[in-house]
Structure formats: C-alpha cells, structure tokens
Amino acid sequence: MMANQNLTTWRSLNLALHDAFSEDPRLLIMGEDITTWGTGGGIYGVTRKLASSFGRSRVRDTPISEEVILAAGVGAAMTGTPTIVEIMYSDFTLLGLDALINQAAKARYMFGGQFKVPLVVRTNGGSGIGKAAQHSQSLETLFAHIPGLEVAVPATPDDAYGLLRSAIASPNPTIFLEHKDLYFDKGPVSGAAIPFGVARIARPGQHVTLVATQRALRWCHEAANELSAQGIEAEIVDPRTLHPLDFEAVRRSIQKTRNLVVVHEAVQDFGWGAEIIARAATECWQHLDNAPARLGAARTPVPYSAALEAAIVPQVHEIVETVQRMRAINIDAELTARN
C-alpha cells in the first residue's frame, strides 16, 4: 500500500485484506454475500473487489448458516490454511460458539501445540445506527473471557488496518470486532502492522485516566474537551486489544493521574470494565486518590428507537460529572490535610 493515505475505516480494512491476499496465496475468506451485497463486498463493503482480484476459490460466498461457516473456518485453519471468516453481525457468532470456544480456542492446548489455528473471525458489534436488539450487541467481554481467543477492537482507520494485518499473521484464533458506527470515520493510515497487546494514548492528560474503546472513545473525547475548559486534563487510553491486554499502559497512566474511569458501550454489569477496575484496585491501590469508577450501558436489549438507543449508553455528561466528583474529593482531601 501507499503509506499515509487518508481513508475511511471500511476502505482501510479492505486495503488490509487486499495487501494480505497479495502476500499470502494460501489466505482465503468466506462469508455471506461477501462478493455480492449492495456495495459488491459484503454489507459494509469491506471485501469489495477481492473476488475479482483473487478469484472465487479464495473469496467464497456461503449459505446463510453461521454455525456451518464458523465450523468450516475452524476446520480450514486447523489444517494449516490461514482463514478469515466474515460474520455479518457479531450477534450471529452465537450460533457457532461450539466451533469457536470448544474447538478453535482449545485446539493448540489439547493437542500439545502440534498445529496452529490461523483463524480470523471478522464481524461487527455495537449500536448507533438503529439495528435493534439482535444486531447491536457489544459482545467483546464474552470473547475476552475465553482462554485461547485473541480479541481486537480497532477504533481508528489506522488501527483497523494495522490490527487486521496482525490478526491475519497470528497463529491463534482472533475475534476481530469492528464497530458498525465507525466504518465511515476517516483518518490517516500508515500501512504498518500494529502488534496485539500495545495500547495507544488517544489523548494525553494529567488529572484523570479514561479507558475506552471504539465508539466510547468519542464520548470520552467530548467529555475531555468539556473538562479541559474547566482546567481538568483527561488522559484517554485505548487498549486496542482486550486480549492480550496492555494493562501496563493503564498502570502508567494511573501513576500519572491518580484517578481512573473506565467507559464502555457493553452492558456495565460483568463487562470488561470490571476487569480493569479489579486490576487497578489490586495492583495500583497505592497510586489511586479515589475509588475507580466505570460507566457502561444499561442492562437492557438495545432499542430500535434512535432516541432510546442513545439513552442506554453512557452519556458525555455522566463522564464529566464522574470526573468532577473525583476532583472534588481530591480538593476536599487536600484542604483537610492542610487544616
């Protein structure tokens, strides 16, 4: 690819696929309507022109059967064929969890590492465009909980390209969760692979650490702008991958800011934010001035109504108010110590 292009996320993903297919003649991809849907490349255009460039023996449309698609992908990967599976919405991966959780995730362990499982399950999650309860879930915590699975959650066009190249090169099964509301975001793409387990600092700051992924990063940036106008500088950490997780980046930020808020779009109860909070409480207690806080979605199916859909996820004002409460406690503690 030409370095430093300015691309939308879906074009960045499409470019990553074209580059990977050009470099490895063994690589194949399969999924529903990936050569024919409106854009000519799946529902969001990510596989556009792959079939005409690399042939239908490597770019395969499948029947509508996620259970079969995932099982076939796992089997192909186990025989040594680098395989990408596109599942139209992550909600439908639930139909093929036996192949993913009982087979792909455990194969290298159960067979003593005799073979690799170079499988990438590309799919999308999240809300924001009115796809309702069965097409808008944020299931990243479910996959991150399973030993043997890697989980990538790209937020920018550059991360989409770089993380997908690393996912394809990985010898392990990877759940690659794109966000349906970020496909048309545009930004620079360097064309470099981005290693798993390396977080990025999306915004530097010194007073509070905000940890977020994908669409929740937007809310954190908006909150950070409001807080900055009040003299509070928030540092935003994007983990990029939930497993492997770069907790060291979170730890370094906590040591600087001494305050932590985790924000995610997934349901708050039992979400991945709880893992970050637990590790911060057990490993960084001495560096925290306040109890860490988390904000996640309400425990409810995602509504179809745009107004209700927007209302169940964390609000920017909630992030701002949470940080303000932390800072108020800090100031009270300082005044008490002086008196």
Side-chain angles (χ1 to χ4, degrees):
M1 72 162 284
M2 294 177 60
N4 301 315
Q5 298 184 67
N6 205 40
L7 301 173
T8 57
T9 294
W10 78 265
R11 284 195 178 277
S12 176
L13 292 164
N14 179 256
L15 182 60
L17 291 174
H18 275 269
D19 288 351
F21 269 74
S22 297
E23 294 172 10
D24 188 347
R26 301 170 304 159
L27 184 62
L28 68 85
I29 186 169
M30 63 180 83
E32 297 164 9
D33 299 330
I34 61 173
T35 70
T36 57
W37 194 279
T39 58
I43 190 167
Y44 293 105
V46 175
T47 54
R48 190 175 181 185
K49 294 187 177 178
L50 276 180
S52 58
S53 298
F54 302 103
R56 289 181 180 268
S57 64
R58 299 177 65 192
V59 184
R60 302 187 179 192
D61 285 321
T62 66
I64 302 175
S65 175
E66 285 79 9
E67 183 177 3
V68 171
I69 298 167
L70 287 164
V74 172
M78 283 183 176
T79 63
T81 302
T83 303
I84 303 169
V85 165
E86 178 176 304
I87 300 296
M88 202 172 282
Y89 293 97
S90 62
D91 314 71
F92 305 151
T93 59
L94 304 181
L95 292 161
L97 287 189
D98 180 70
L100 285 178
I101 293 177
N102 286 332
Q103 309 304 328
K106 297 175 174 62
R108 295 187 68 184
Y109 172 80
M110 293 181 68
F111 293 96
Q114 295 181 75
F115 54 85
K116 302 172 183 176
V117 188
L119 172 73
V120 179
V121 178
R122 277 194 45 251
T123 185
N124 70 72
S127 60
I129 61 172
K131 291 292 183 179
Q134 295 176 326
H135 297 70
S136 303
Q137 296 175 86
S138 297
L139 299 174
E140 55 268 31
T141 297
L142 185 155
F143 297 115
H145 185 69
I146 303 301
L149 294 181
E150 298 174 329
V151 181
V153 281
T156 68
D158 193 47
D159 282 1
Y161 181 95
L163 292 174
L164 184 54
R165 295 303 305 270
S166 292
I168 294 170
S170 173
N172 303 311
T174 301
I175 309 300
F176 195 86
L177 278 165
E178 299 152 16
H179 195 294
K180 63 175 64 67
D181 197 30
L182 303 181
Y183 278 123
F184 297 97
D185 281 12
K186 199 168 188 177
V189 177
S190 67
I194 295 172
F196 282 10
V198 179
R200 72 183 176 101
I201 303 300
R203 176 183 176 125
Q206 58 185 336
H207 297 127
V208 61
T209 298
L210 304 178
V211 179
T213 62
Q214 298 192 312
R215 197 161 70 110
L217 286 163
R218 286 184 185 167
W219 309 326
C220 287
H221 278 290
E222 291 179 31
N225 288 337
E226 289 189 30
L227 290 165
S228 182
Q230 302 168 22
I232 302 171
E233 299 300 336
E235 179 153 288
I236 302 176
V237 180
D238 174 7
R240 286 176 162 156
T241 57
L242 294 181
H243 186 79
L245 174 66
D246 185 5
F247 187 75
E248 285 306 309
V250 179
R251 186 201 309 275
R252 288 193 296 271
S253 185
I254 291 173
Q255 289 172 341
K256 181 167 63 171
T257 68
R258 305 187 67 83
N259 295 285
L260 171 65
V261 179
V262 183
V263 185
H264 58 62
E265 185 175 348
V267 170
Q268 177 171 301
D269 296 2
F270 304 97
W272 61 263
E275 172 67 19
I276 301 284
I277 297 290
R279 293 188 63 172
T282 54
E283 300 177 27
C284 307
W285 184 254
Q286 70 276 24
H287 302 300
L288 287 164
D289 285 343
N290 295 288
R294 59 179 168 143
L295 295 169
R299 191 181 180 87
T300 177
V302 179
Y304 174 76
S305 156
L308 293 176
E309 186 187 40
I312 69 163
V313 296
Q315 308 295 302
V316 171
H317 72 84
E318 294 178 304
I319 302 171
V320 170
E321 290 164 4
T322 299
V323 173
Q324 287 174 328
R325 282 196 295 273
M326 284 186 171
R327 294 291 297 168
I329 293 171
N330 285 357
I331 293 170
D332 287 345
E334 289 174 10
L335 291 174
T336 301
R338 289 177 189 171
N339 295 330

Short mmCIF file of all heavy atoms in Angstrom, two decimals, residues 124-164:
data_model
loop_
_atom_site.label_atom_id
_atom_site.label_comp_id
_atom_site.label_asym_id
_atom_site.label_seq_id
_atom_site.Cartn_x
_atom_site.Cartn_y
_atom_site.Cartn_z
N ASN A 124 -18.92 -7.36 13.20
CA ASN A 124 -19.08 -6.02 13.78
C ASN A 124 -20.05 -6.05 14.95
O ASN A 124 -20.93 -6.91 15.02
CB ASN A 124 -19.52 -5.01 12.71
CG ASN A 124 -20.94 -5.26 12.25
OD1 ASN A 124 -21.89 -4.99 12.97
ND2 ASN A 124 -21.09 -5.79 11.04
N GLY A 125 -19.87 -5.12 15.84
CA GLY A 125 -20.72 -5.03 17.01
C GLY A 125 -21.11 -3.59 17.29
O GLY A 125 -20.82 -2.68 16.53
N GLY A 126 -21.81 -3.40 18.41
CA GLY A 126 -22.14 -2.06 18.85
C GLY A 126 -23.42 -1.50 18.26
O GLY A 126 -23.99 -2.05 17.32
N SER A 127 -23.85 -0.40 18.82
CA SER A 127 -25.09 0.26 18.40
C SER A 127 -24.75 1.58 17.70
O SER A 127 -23.61 1.80 17.32
CB SER A 127 -25.98 0.51 19.62
OG SER A 127 -25.31 1.35 20.56
N GLY A 128 -25.77 2.41 17.50
CA GLY A 128 -25.52 3.74 16.95
C GLY A 128 -26.16 4.00 15.60
O GLY A 128 -26.24 5.15 15.17
N ILE A 129 -26.62 2.92 14.91
CA ILE A 129 -27.24 3.17 13.61
C ILE A 129 -28.59 2.47 13.48
O ILE A 129 -29.05 2.17 12.38
CB ILE A 129 -26.32 2.75 12.45
CG1 ILE A 129 -25.99 1.25 12.50
CG2 ILE A 129 -25.03 3.56 12.46
CD1 ILE A 129 -25.23 0.77 11.26
N GLY A 130 -29.23 2.16 14.62
CA GLY A 130 -30.59 1.67 14.57
C GLY A 130 -30.76 0.25 14.05
O GLY A 130 -31.65 -0.01 13.24
N LYS A 131 -29.93 -0.66 14.51
CA LYS A 131 -30.04 -2.05 14.07
C LYS A 131 -30.78 -2.93 15.07
O LYS A 131 -30.91 -4.14 14.85
CB LYS A 131 -28.65 -2.62 13.80
CG LYS A 131 -27.97 -2.02 12.57
CD LYS A 131 -28.68 -2.41 11.29
CE LYS A 131 -27.96 -1.87 10.07
NZ LYS A 131 -28.62 -2.26 8.82
N ALA A 132 -31.16 -2.37 16.19
CA ALA A 132 -32.04 -3.03 17.16
C ALA A 132 -31.36 -4.17 17.93
O ALA A 132 -30.15 -4.39 17.83
CB ALA A 132 -33.33 -3.50 16.50
N ALA A 133 -32.19 -4.92 18.67
CA ALA A 133 -31.69 -5.77 19.76
C ALA A 133 -30.84 -6.93 19.30
O ALA A 133 -29.92 -7.35 20.02
CB ALA A 133 -32.88 -6.28 20.57
N GLN A 134 -31.11 -7.49 18.13
CA GLN A 134 -30.38 -8.69 17.69
C GLN A 134 -29.26 -8.39 16.70
O GLN A 134 -28.67 -9.30 16.13
CB GLN A 134 -31.37 -9.69 17.08
CG GLN A 134 -32.39 -10.22 18.09
CD GLN A 134 -33.42 -11.12 17.46
OE1 GLN A 134 -33.82 -10.92 16.31
NE2 GLN A 134 -33.87 -12.12 18.20
N HIS A 135 -28.95 -7.11 16.50
CA HIS A 135 -27.89 -6.74 15.56
C HIS A 135 -26.98 -5.65 16.15
O HIS A 135 -26.20 -5.04 15.41
CB HIS A 135 -28.48 -6.18 14.26
CG HIS A 135 -29.30 -7.15 13.49
ND1 HIS A 135 -30.53 -7.60 13.91
CD2 HIS A 135 -29.07 -7.78 12.30
CE1 HIS A 135 -31.03 -8.44 13.01
NE2 HIS A 135 -30.15 -8.57 12.04
N SER A 136 -27.04 -5.41 17.45
CA SER A 136 -26.33 -4.25 18.00
C SER A 136 -25.61 -4.54 19.31
O SER A 136 -25.17 -3.60 19.98
CB SER A 136 -27.33 -3.11 18.25
OG SER A 136 -28.01 -2.76 17.08
N GLN A 137 -25.48 -5.81 19.66
CA GLN A 137 -24.88 -6.10 20.96
C GLN A 137 -23.36 -5.84 20.94
O GLN A 137 -22.72 -5.91 19.92
CB GLN A 137 -25.14 -7.56 21.33
CG GLN A 137 -26.61 -7.88 21.53
CD GLN A 137 -26.85 -9.35 21.77
OE1 GLN A 137 -26.76 -9.83 22.89
NE2 GLN A 137 -27.14 -10.07 20.70
N SER A 138 -22.84 -5.59 22.13
CA SER A 138 -21.39 -5.45 22.32
C SER A 138 -20.93 -6.66 23.11
O SER A 138 -21.06 -6.71 24.33
CB SER A 138 -21.08 -4.15 23.08
OG SER A 138 -21.49 -3.03 22.33
N LEU A 139 -20.39 -7.66 22.40
CA LEU A 139 -20.11 -8.97 22.98
C LEU A 139 -18.63 -9.19 23.27
O LEU A 139 -18.22 -10.32 23.52
CB LEU A 139 -20.62 -10.07 22.05
CG LEU A 139 -22.13 -10.06 21.78
CD1 LEU A 139 -22.49 -11.11 20.73
CD2 LEU A 139 -22.91 -10.30 23.06
N GLU A 140 -17.83 -8.12 23.26
CA GLU A 140 -16.39 -8.31 23.38
C GLU A 140 -15.97 -8.98 24.69
O GLU A 140 -15.02 -9.75 24.71
CB GLU A 140 -15.66 -6.96 23.23
CG GLU A 140 -16.10 -5.85 24.16
CD GLU A 140 -17.19 -4.98 23.61
OE1 GLU A 140 -18.02 -5.50 22.82
OE2 GLU A 140 -17.25 -3.79 23.97
N THR A 141 -16.71 -8.69 25.77
CA THR A 141 -16.34 -9.31 27.04
C THR A 141 -16.50 -10.82 26.98
O THR A 141 -15.67 -11.56 27.52
CB THR A 141 -17.23 -8.76 28.17
OG1 THR A 141 -16.97 -7.36 28.30
CG2 THR A 141 -16.92 -9.44 29.49
N LEU A 142 -17.55 -11.28 26.31
CA LEU A 142 -17.79 -12.72 26.21
C LEU A 142 -16.58 -13.41 25.57
O LEU A 142 -16.10 -14.44 26.08
CB LEU A 142 -19.05 -12.95 25.37
CG LEU A 142 -19.59 -14.38 25.21
CD1 LEU A 142 -21.08 -14.31 24.91
CD2 LEU A 142 -18.89 -15.13 24.09
N PHE A 143 -16.05 -12.87 24.51
CA PHE A 143 -14.92 -13.50 23.82
C PHE A 143 -13.62 -13.33 24.62
O PHE A 143 -12.79 -14.23 24.66
CB PHE A 143 -14.77 -12.91 22.42
CG PHE A 143 -15.95 -13.19 21.53
CD1 PHE A 143 -16.75 -12.17 21.06
CD2 PHE A 143 -16.26 -14.50 21.17
CE1 PHE A 143 -17.84 -12.43 20.24
CE2 PHE A 143 -17.36 -14.78 20.35
CZ PHE A 143 -18.15 -13.74 19.89
N ALA A 144 -13.44 -12.16 25.24
CA ALA A 144 -12.22 -11.92 26.00
C ALA A 144 -12.12 -12.84 27.21
O ALA A 144 -11.04 -13.08 27.74
CB ALA A 144 -12.16 -10.46 26.45
N HIS A 145 -13.23 -13.40 27.62
CA HIS A 145 -13.27 -14.29 28.79
C HIS A 145 -12.75 -15.69 28.47
O HIS A 145 -12.41 -16.44 29.38
CB HIS A 145 -14.72 -14.38 29.30
CG HIS A 145 -14.89 -15.15 30.55
ND1 HIS A 145 -14.41 -14.70 31.78
CD2 HIS A 145 -15.45 -16.36 30.80
CE1 HIS A 145 -14.71 -15.60 32.71
NE2 HIS A 145 -15.33 -16.62 32.14
N ILE A 146 -12.66 -16.04 27.19
CA ILE A 146 -12.35 -17.41 26.80
C ILE A 146 -10.84 -17.59 26.58
O ILE A 146 -10.26 -16.97 25.67
CB ILE A 146 -13.11 -17.79 25.51
CG1 ILE A 146 -14.61 -17.61 25.71
CG2 ILE A 146 -12.78 -19.23 25.11
CD1 ILE A 146 -15.20 -18.44 26.83
N PRO A 147 -10.18 -18.46 27.35
CA PRO A 147 -8.76 -18.72 27.10
C PRO A 147 -8.57 -19.29 25.70
O PRO A 147 -9.31 -20.17 25.27
CB PRO A 147 -8.40 -19.77 28.16
CG PRO A 147 -9.45 -19.65 29.21
CD PRO A 147 -10.70 -19.22 28.50
N GLY A 148 -7.57 -18.76 25.01
CA GLY A 148 -7.27 -19.25 23.66
C GLY A 148 -7.72 -18.33 22.55
O GLY A 148 -7.31 -18.50 21.41
N LEU A 149 -8.59 -17.37 22.87
CA LEU A 149 -9.06 -16.42 21.86
C LEU A 149 -8.37 -15.07 22.05
O LEU A 149 -8.21 -14.60 23.17
CB LEU A 149 -10.58 -16.21 21.96
CG LEU A 149 -11.49 -17.40 21.63
CD1 LEU A 149 -12.95 -16.98 21.76
CD2 LEU A 149 -11.20 -17.96 20.24
N GLU A 150 -7.97 -14.47 20.95
CA GLU A 150 -7.49 -13.10 20.96
C GLU A 150 -8.65 -12.19 20.52
O GLU A 150 -9.46 -12.60 19.67
CB GLU A 150 -6.30 -12.94 20.02
CG GLU A 150 -5.11 -13.79 20.43
CD GLU A 150 -3.97 -13.77 19.42
OE1 GLU A 150 -4.25 -13.62 18.22
OE2 GLU A 150 -2.83 -13.92 19.84
N VAL A 151 -8.71 -10.99 21.08
CA VAL A 151 -9.84 -10.10 20.79
C VAL A 151 -9.32 -8.71 20.45
O VAL A 151 -8.69 -8.05 21.28
CB VAL A 151 -10.80 -10.01 22.00
CG1 VAL A 151 -11.99 -9.10 21.66
CG2 VAL A 151 -11.30 -11.39 22.40
N ALA A 152 -9.59 -8.28 19.21
CA ALA A 152 -9.17 -6.95 18.76
C ALA A 152 -10.38 -6.05 18.59
O ALA A 152 -11.42 -6.49 18.10
CB ALA A 152 -8.41 -7.06 17.43
N VAL A 153 -10.23 -4.78 19.01
CA VAL A 153 -11.35 -3.83 18.95
C VAL A 153 -10.84 -2.50 18.37
O VAL A 153 -10.70 -1.51 19.09
CB VAL A 153 -12.00 -3.62 20.34
CG1 VAL A 153 -12.92 -4.77 20.69
CG2 VAL A 153 -10.93 -3.48 21.43
N PRO A 154 -10.57 -2.45 17.07
CA PRO A 154 -10.00 -1.23 16.47
C PRO A 154 -10.98 -0.06 16.50
O PRO A 154 -12.18 -0.23 16.31
CB PRO A 154 -9.71 -1.67 15.03
CG PRO A 154 -10.70 -2.77 14.76
CD PRO A 154 -10.85 -3.49 16.06
N ALA A 155 -10.42 1.15 16.69
CA ALA A 155 -11.25 2.35 16.76
C ALA A 155 -10.99 3.32 15.62
O ALA A 155 -11.87 4.11 15.27
CB ALA A 155 -11.03 3.05 18.10
N THR A 156 -9.81 3.29 15.04
CA THR A 156 -9.45 4.27 14.01
C THR A 156 -9.14 3.55 12.70
O THR A 156 -8.85 2.35 12.70
CB THR A 156 -8.21 5.08 14.42
OG1 THR A 156 -7.07 4.20 14.42
CG2 THR A 156 -8.38 5.68 15.81
N PRO A 157 -9.15 4.26 11.58
CA PRO A 157 -8.77 3.62 10.31
C PRO A 157 -7.37 3.02 10.36
O PRO A 157 -7.13 1.94 9.84
CB PRO A 157 -8.88 4.76 9.30
CG PRO A 157 -9.92 5.67 9.88
CD PRO A 157 -9.70 5.62 11.36
N ASP A 158 -6.44 3.71 11.00
CA ASP A 158 -5.07 3.20 11.08
C ASP A 158 -5.01 1.92 11.91
O ASP A 158 -4.33 0.95 11.54
CB ASP A 158 -4.15 4.26 11.69
CG ASP A 158 -2.68 3.89 11.51
OD1 ASP A 158 -2.29 3.51 10.39
OD2 ASP A 158 -1.93 3.97 12.50
N ASP A 159 -5.72 1.90 13.04
CA ASP A 159 -5.77 0.69 13.86
C ASP A 159 -6.49 -0.43 13.14
O ASP A 159 -6.14 -1.61 13.28
CB ASP A 159 -6.46 0.97 15.20
CG ASP A 159 -5.55 1.69 16.18
OD1 ASP A 159 -4.39 1.97 15.80
OD2 ASP A 159 -5.98 1.97 17.30
N ALA A 160 -7.52 -0.10 12.38
CA ALA A 160 -8.23 -1.13 11.64
C ALA A 160 -7.29 -1.85 10.68
O ALA A 160 -7.27 -3.08 10.60
CB ALA A 160 -9.41 -0.51 10.88
N TYR A 161 -6.49 -1.06 9.95
CA TYR A 161 -5.52 -1.67 9.02
C TYR A 161 -4.46 -2.47 9.80
O TYR A 161 -4.23 -3.65 9.54
CB TYR A 161 -4.83 -0.60 8.18
CG TYR A 161 -3.84 -1.19 7.19
CD1 TYR A 161 -4.20 -1.46 5.88
CD2 TYR A 161 -2.53 -1.50 7.59
CE1 TYR A 161 -3.30 -2.03 4.98
CE2 TYR A 161 -1.62 -2.07 6.71
CZ TYR A 161 -2.01 -2.33 5.40
OH TYR A 161 -1.10 -2.90 4.53
N GLY A 162 -3.84 -1.81 10.75
CA GLY A 162 -2.69 -2.40 11.43
C GLY A 162 -3.04 -3.61 12.26
O GLY A 162 -2.29 -4.61 12.30
N LEU A 163 -4.17 -3.58 12.95
CA LEU A 163 -4.57 -4.72 13.78
C LEU A 163 -5.06 -5.88 12.92
O LEU A 163 -4.85 -7.04 13.28
CB LEU A 163 -5.66 -4.29 14.77
CG LEU A 163 -5.21 -3.32 15.87
CD1 LEU A 163 -6.41 -2.84 16.69
CD2 LEU A 163 -4.19 -3.97 16.80
N LEU A 164 -5.72 -5.58 11.79
CA LEU A 164 -6.16 -6.68 10.93
C LEU A 164 -4.96 -7.41 10.33
O LEU A 164 -4.97 -8.64 10.23
CB LEU A 164 -7.10 -6.17 9.83
CG LEU A 164 -7.69 -7.26 8.92
CD1 LEU A 164 -8.39 -8.35 9.74
CD2 LEU A 164 -8.66 -6.66 7.91
#
